[in-house]
Amino acid sequence: MNISLTINGKSYSHDVEPRLLLIHFLRDVAGLTGTHMGCETSLCGACTVELNRKAIKSCTMFAVQANGAEIVTVEGLANDGKLDPVQEAFWNEHGLQCGFCTPGMIMASKQIIDRNAAPSEEEIRHGLEGNVCRCTGYQHIVNAVKAAAAGAGK
Amino acid sequence: MATTTTKTETFVGKRIRRREDPRLITGTATYVEDIQMPGMHYAVILRSPHAAARIRSIDTKKAENATGVACVFTGKDTKGVGVVPCGIAMPDLRVPQHNILATDRVYFVGHPVAVVVARDRYLARDAADLIEVDYEVLPAVADPEKALAKGAPAVHPQWPDNIAFTYHQDGGNVDKAFAEADVVAKQRIVSQRLVPMAMETRGVVAEWRGADRQLNLYTSTQIPHLVRTLVAGMLGLEENRMRVIAPEVGGGFGSKLNVYAEEALMGFVSMRIQKPVKWIESRRENFTCTIHGRGHVDYYEIAAKRDGTILGIKLKLIQDVGAYHQLLTPLIPQLSVLMMPGLYNTQNIRADIVGVFTNCVPTDAYRGAGRPEATHGIERMVDILAAELKLDPAEIRLKNFVAKDKFPYSTATGLMYDSGDYSTPLKKALDLVGYVKLRQEQADLRKQGKYMGIGISTYGEICAIGPSPATPAGGWESATVKIEPTGKVTILTGACPHGQGEETTFAQIAADELGVGLDDILVVRGDTAIVQYGIGTFGSRATAVGGTALYYALEDLKAKIKKFGAMLLESDDVTLAGGQVVCNKTGKSKTFQEIAGASYRALKLPPNTEPGLVATRFWEPPNFTFPFGAHIVVTDIDDETGQIQVRRYVAVDDCGNILNPLIVDGQVHGGVAQGLGQALWEQAVYDDNGQLITGELMDYALPRAHLMPWIESHHTCTPSPVNPLGVKGVGEAGTIGCSPAVVNSVVDALSPLGVRHIDMPLTPEKIWKLLAKKN
């Protein structure tokens, strides 16, 4: 099947098998390997990307379902070498260790701030329920989201 | 040309954000799965659905003829490949032959049976479904105590008693201690099997370059050099013809401190098909086929005087081995025995380990590796003892700690604790949590029928692993420092850090020693073709051992820089500071960069000095280090649902000198999360047929953001005398300190109901049942 979609502002049009997962389209067809496969069952969130401005898990969606969609991946956040405030906050607050969950975590965090400019700690923690990090114990991630929200609100 | 910045600013001890992060936060880091090569093929492994079965036949014809399939291999094809190695030698150790693919029998669910290689991952998976294996299912045993019972199915038919090894250790006079005791407390304590669950599953890319007789192996590992030595051996390759690259590694926690069948298998496949091949472990495979941690059943006895003085400890430790020994499997419970006295001054111990084969995936090192089990045991026993003697759990600990003036302290288990001050972190934690007030509050709540608990754990650990005689491979670590002609500094570390932040902390050490900026330094790791032989990152060792190797390499170079500086300044009286060599008499100076350039240009050399500024050191530590600390957990129990709410988590950790507090905090938080995971949620559950019923994230409960309490992380500082940096290690501290504090807290909360012990995980169901019995 032929699908056309926009990823990080760039148009892609490809013939794909109907069973091709969106994450494999992103990684193997578009060559954007920042989005990671962590569990294949939408339980860990490492594959989180933004699809039509909503955070979704790209491991349990077919590429054909994203036909016509606008997708943003972690590679699309920094602008002209300037990091997105959420990326910057993850860096400043040590919100990552091995980094494998980080792209999905950053995309989920962006969504939290997009929906709620001043999330409380509890709201942040609940917003991150679907994203697993095995390294940080989440505390520095919570700090990062708080810092990013505070910065964005300035 | 960029110049090397010379600085008087120092970096060690500061909260400096990590230098490895830009690639990770932008999604541009390269993990194994991100590697693409022309002509690359994809492997899918067919695995046993049965825990125990004889393989009558395997028919691979349909799979071989399927679209896109290059080849299918079974155990018959890989007979020439060496066995998966066990790195531990001990008397009477029974080592089953661990082939990379099953031959005539399978021993656990997930046992690799065949490998399918195709040009596309989807096609490879399709073809794997076409392989027909005729199994004769056999009885299995998944519980180590059941496996020891008479008449249990034999995991390996040649050893009907299922005993994999035994180990005995005696210290002091334990019989006398128990004879003289006023009280002996006994308890069976389980440290359940856990799934390490690194976020990145394992993965391998093998690239055989036939014309060069060269195998490049990209693998998600904590130990690339050891993988090279051992996998080259399995494949019959000369070691210098093999290059192992650990690219970005997405977490290990011990699960990648190993040599796995798939690493050799992919090498074998690539050599056979003369093409690069990639295998990425699925999450289901990660649960069923990557090592598990813990898996203890411990029978403790602790002897004491009426005043709480601990006289001796006995331990019968049953270790669930699984079906095979992986690299370090039999070593892990021995670490528990070494750590068995904890922080307490008792010279009488007796331990008996029995390692038991079960039809499960092998156990091996998982964050803490033996020490969390030991700490859980001793810290639970001390609380049980305190309860029996009606003593305060803080008081009984303070009474029994090894005193501050007794270090270095020889333990009953043969260790020499390097330095310690055990009461200070406990007293600090008690102050921070407001212990006295909390006890009053608890008394008030109890009158209202409410359950609130205060749990203390004071832990010690064996870190900076370790002196070579005490480790299965070398226990040293290596570092090379290259100061390039432009004055830029490249550090090659053998420690292969993978998330622990040494690209930053090592740069901090070097920047301070050389007096240059952090941006002038690059830390390189994880490639055996670039980095000198090294051991790896595990056992909280990378900074304490690898950082020390770096420190000594820097000392060598500083001496050489001074020699060149003295020559250029024509003076013997010079000082190296702030990135310059200064003549103490004239005040004239030469910059770091001028000296580096002169050392390579070599127009003139100091006497007996070679050109260039490169130094390599392999540092052998004289001892382990022994961090310690106190964790206090306050819990509130919902008596209607059995839900445990962690109200406060106070951690006071002493890991010696701290190079970067931001990174140390992160290590403590992550460690605590894994400890809390074990205490409250996680458990690898096999049913009686050996099926892993918690074999996916849907069924295996992990700590998630909304479940984690706020961790109040504090420190005391007792530098280690073992290394010149005074560091001890902190990677495992949180995990080791955590679980007994949580269980002690919940048992304390429920003690009015007569509850004296609860095995982990403390699920709401378990707690609710305890509450329901009394209501």
Side-chain angles (χ1 to χ4, degrees):
Chain A
M1 278 176 74
N2 186 271
I3 60 166
S4 300
L5 65 168
T6 309
I7 308 171
N8 303 330
K10 196 176 157 195
S11 301
Y12 292 81
S13 183
H14 279 272
D15 281 325
V16 299
E17 268 197 78
R19 66 171 174 170
L20 184 74
L21 295 172
L22 177 57
I23 187 169
H24 289 143
F25 185 89
L26 297 172
R27 292 177 52 84
D28 300 343
V29 181
L32 297 164
T33 56
T35 304
H36 296 147
M37 179 79 100
C39 72
E40 308 120 34
T41 49
S42 74
L43 290 162
C44 86
C47 66
T48 306
V49 299
E50 203 177 87
L51 181 135
N52 296 336
R53 302 189 63 82
K54 266 192 183 164
I56 60 108
K57 290 173 176 173
S58 62
C59 75
T60 40
M61 183 166 183
F62 294 114
V64 293
Q65 292 175 288
N67 190 18
E70 274 187 30
I71 290 173
V72 180
T73 70
V74 69
E75 290 95 336
L77 296 184
N79 204 343
D80 283 340
K82 191 178 169 347
L83 295 174
D84 181 275
V86 177
Q87 290 174 311
E88 190 78 36
F90 267 71
W91 190 7
N92 290 336
E93 300 296 330
H94 187 30
L96 61 148
Q97 289 177 30
C98 83
F100 195 80
C101 77
T102 307
M105 203 57 90
I106 286 175
M107 297 310 293
S109 300
K110 265 191 77 66
Q111 180 94 129
I112 292 169
I113 298 169
D114 284 350
R115 289 182 186 178
N116 178 355
S120 66
E121 183 190 329
E122 202 188 342
E123 286 166 337
I124 294 168
R125 287 182 181 273
H126 276 281
L128 295 173
E129 266 189 55
N131 290 68
V132 176
C133 169
R134 194 60 158 158
C135 294
T136 64
Y138 305 98
Q139 196 150 314
H140 283 165
I141 294 177
V142 171
N143 288 348
V145 180
K146 270 190 211 163
K154 269 179 199 162
Chain B
M1 189 174 70
T3 54
T4 300
T5 13
T6 53
K7 295 224 171 177
T8 46
E9 184 191 355
T10 59
F11 300 100
V12 166
K14 294 192 177 148
R15 294 176 80 87
I16 290 169
R17 65 180 188 172
R18 294 198 318 174
R19 306 180 58 71
E20 39 275 80
D21 287 356
R23 63 179 186 265
L24 300 168
I25 55 178
T26 52
T28 51
T30 305
Y31 296 87
V32 171
E33 193 174 5
D34 303 335
I35 294 164
Q36 290 295 346
M37 290 179 187
M40 183 177 262
H41 278 56
Y42 297 83
V44 165
I45 296 170
L46 181 74
R47 297 178 182 275
S48 169
H50 306 294
R54 201 167 281 123
I55 298 175
R56 288 201 193 98
S57 65
I58 307 178
D59 186 349
T60 59
K61 264 191 215 86
K62 281 184 204 158
E64 281 163 25
N65 294 329
T67 310
V69 170
C71 55
V72 180
F73 298 111
T74 65
K76 268 189 219 155
D77 304 300
T78 56
K79 271 189 175 156
V81 179
V83 294
V84 179
C86 170
I88 306 301
M90 54 193 287
D92 306 324
L93 179 68
R94 289 168 170 174
V95 183
Q97 180 164 328
H98 189 175
N99 298 319
I100 62 168
L101 289 175
T103 50
D104 52 350
R105 215 175 146 118
V106 289
Y107 296 90
F108 64 99
V109 169
H111 198 147
V113 171
V115 58
V116 182
V117 185
R119 62 175 150 81
D120 166 290
R121 74 178 90 209
Y122 287 65
L123 296 175
R125 183 146 313 175
D126 288 346
D129 290 342
L130 301 174
I131 299 174
E132 285 169 17
V133 186
D134 184 10
Y135 291 106
E136 177 194 342
V137 178
L138 302 168
V141 63
D143 177 296
E145 290 194 289
K146 286 182 184 164
L148 284 175
K150 270 216 165 85
V155 176
H156 297 280
Q158 66 272 39
W159 300 308
D161 58 10
N162 288 321
I163 291 175
F165 61 92
T166 57
Y167 176 86
H168 175 83
Q169 192 168 345
D170 248 323
N173 190 338
V174 82
D175 291 327
K176 185 165 170 278
F178 273 71
E180 289 172 355
D182 294 325
V183 57
V184 173
K186 301 179 183 183
Q187 184 61 49
R188 174 183 187 268
I189 298 176
V190 177
S191 278
Q192 76 274 31
R193 259 185 186 256
L194 299 176
V195 179
M197 236 305 293
M199 287 305 296
E200 182 206 25
T201 60
R202 290 185 295 125
V204 183
V205 169
E207 180 198 23
W208 172 245
R209 297 179 175 224
D212 294 334
R213 285 191 50 72
Q214 164 85 29
L215 180 65
N216 295 332
L217 197 80
Y218 300 76
T219 179
S220 186
T221 185
Q222 301 171 227
I223 48 166
H225 281 95
L226 298 177
V227 167
R228 186 188 69 182
T229 303
L230 293 167
V231 174
M234 291 165 79
L235 294 171
L237 264 178
E238 305 92 317
E239 188 174 2
N240 57 353
R241 295 283 175 181
M242 186 160 166
R243 175 183 185 184
V244 174
I245 297 169
E248 210 71 59
V249 174
F253 315 114
S255 72
K256 295 170 182 174
L257 161 56
N258 228 308
V259 174
Y260 284 99
E262 293 87 352
E263 290 170 320
L265 181 59
M266 291 310 125
F268 167 86
V269 169
S270 184
M271 290 165 81
R272 285 289 288 267
I273 70 170
Q274 305 275 320
K275 285 190 166 60
V277 62
K278 181 193 279 188
W279 168 74
I280 301 296
E281 187 185 49
S282 70
R283 183 54 69 190
R284 171 77 184 163
E285 286 178 296
N286 184 255
F287 269 79
T288 54
C289 311
T290 290
I291 62 102
H292 288 175
R294 320 284 189 255
H296 273 212
V297 182
D298 295 330
Y299 289 86
Y300 273 96
E301 294 182 42
I302 188 164
K305 285 196 207 160
R306 196 158 288 113
D307 68 357
T309 305
I310 298 169
L311 299 175
I313 309 161
K314 288 189 211 171
L315 167 63
K316 187 184 160 206
L317 191 168
I318 298 169
Q319 172 71 54
D320 179 353
V321 165
Y324 290 111
H325 300 294
Q326 278 282 352
L327 193 61
L328 304 173
T329 303
L331 176 70
I332 308 305
Q334 293 177 51
L335 290 172
S336 303
V337 169
L338 288 175
M339 203 68 249
M340 177 180 158
L343 304 182
Y344 306 111
N345 182 27
T346 175
Q347 287 294 330
N348 306 304
I349 66 106
R350 175 174 297 153
D352 283 287
I353 304 176
V354 55
V356 186
F357 289 122
T358 56
N359 290 107
C360 304
V361 73
T363 53
D364 204 320
Y366 167 56
R367 202 169 192 166
R371 288 100 85 213
E373 298 91 316
T375 303
H376 196 77
I378 184 69
E379 288 304 288
R380 282 270 48 242
M381 290 314 293
V382 167
D383 256 37
I384 288 169
L385 188 62
E388 286 201 8
L389 294 170
K390 300 196 167 24
L391 294 171
D392 183 276
E395 286 308 315
I396 196 171
R397 286 175 166 84
L398 290 166
K399 186 179 186 67
N400 283 287
F401 281 153
V402 174
K404 193 179 165 179
D405 59 0
K406 296 280 192 248
F407 293 89
Y409 173 82
S410 296
T411 73
T413 54
L415 298 171
M416 179 75 83
Y417 289 175
D418 58 341
S419 62
D421 176 5
Y422 298 154
S423 55
T424 302
L426 176 55
K427 286 177 178 164
K428 187 171 176 177
L430 292 168
D431 277 350
L432 284 162
V433 83
Y435 188 66
V436 177
K437 262 194 164 170
L438 273 177
R439 285 288 177 208
Q440 287 163 357
E441 186 193 341
Q442 183 182 47
D444 293 341
L445 288 171
R446 279 182 180 168
K447 282 178 202 153
Q448 301 164 36
K450 289 186 177 161
Y451 301 97
M452 182 266 259
I454 308 158
I456 299 173
S457 148
T458 46
Y459 71 92
E461 49 170 337
I462 309 167
C463 286
I465 290 174
S468 294
T471 52
W476 47 266
E477 196 47 86
S478 68
T480 293
V481 181
K482 303 195 285 184
I483 299 175
E484 314 292 0
T486 52
K488 298 290 170 185
V489 182
T490 306
I491 295 167
L492 312 177
T493 173
C496 197
H498 50 278
Q500 296 83 358
E502 276 84 359
E503 289 180 44
T504 306
T505 48
F506 283 12
Q508 288 175 263
I509 294 170
D512 280 10
E513 290 301 317
L514 298 175
V516 300
L518 292 174
D519 288 339
D520 297 314
I521 300 166
L522 182 70
V523 179
V524 177
R525 35 68 65 197
D527 184 341
T528 64
I530 297 173
V531 180
Q532 71 290 337
Y533 207 94
I535 303 297
T537 288
F538 54 88
S540 301
R541 72 188 303 277
T543 302
V545 190
T548 302
L550 167 65
Y551 174 85
Y552 283 118
L554 289 165
E555 292 305 297
D556 288 354
L557 281 185
K558 279 163 68 178
K560 198 169 178 184
I561 289 165
K562 273 173 82 171
K563 274 193 192 175
F564 273 100
M567 179 193 76
L568 294 171
L569 291 164
E570 297 176 337
S571 164
D572 287 338
D573 185 13
V574 296
T575 315
L576 171 64
Q580 302 188 89
V581 177
V582 184
C583 172
N584 293 331
K585 280 185 192 142
T586 63
K588 282 186 185 166
S589 63
K590 287 285 171 188
T591 66
F592 195 74
Q593 200 167 2
E594 287 172 306
I595 292 166
S599 81
Y600 284 94
R601 185 65 186 85
L603 290 173
K604 197 179 163 198
L605 295 170
N608 304 316
T609 305
E610 292 172 0
L613 287 175
V614 178
T616 297
R617 289 295 288 265
F618 283 55
W619 187 64
E620 169 66 25
N623 191 3
F624 300 102
T625 62
F626 297 89
F628 54 91
H631 289 202
I632 300 186
V633 174
V634 184
T635 54
D636 293 293
I637 317 279
D638 184 320
D639 65 344
E640 291 188 346
T641 64
Q643 281 285 354
I644 297 162
Q645 184 73 39
V646 177
R647 186 202 296 188
R648 295 277 301 276
Y649 196 113
V650 174
V652 181
D653 298 290
D654 193 320
C655 57
N657 290 337
I658 289 176
L659 303 182
N660 186 329
L662 189 63
I663 289 175
V664 167
D665 281 354
Q667 290 294 314
V668 170
H669 297 163
V672 167
Q674 289 182 7
L676 211 64
Q678 171 161 25
L680 297 181
W681 304 297
E682 299 181 37
Q683 183 169 21
V685 182
Y686 281 93
D687 70 10
D688 286 343
N689 299 318
Q691 290 292 339
L692 182 63
I693 53 181
T694 54
E696 280 285 357
L697 278 179
M698 190 69 90
D699 306 307
Y700 188 87
L702 283 176
R704 288 176 184 264
H706 65 298
L707 300 172
M708 283 297 297
W710 190 261
I711 300 154
E712 304 167 45
S713 177
H714 301 268
H715 298 280
T716 56
C717 181
T718 308
S720 174
V722 174
N723 60 67
L725 301 171
V727 298
K728 288 197 169 188
V730 72
E732 296 157 297
T735 308
I736 294 170
C738 176
S739 74
V742 177
V743 177
N744 285 346
S745 182
V746 175
V747 170
D748 180 51
L750 300 181
S751 60
L753 303 177
V755 173
R756 136 193 179 113
H757 176 71
I758 316 170
D759 274 323
M760 302 180 288
L762 307 181
T763 56
E765 182 196 3
K766 257 185 216 171
I767 305 303
W768 183 83
K769 279 181 177 162
L770 288 168
L771 289 161
K773 253 187 222 167
K774 295 289 166 181
N775 286 346

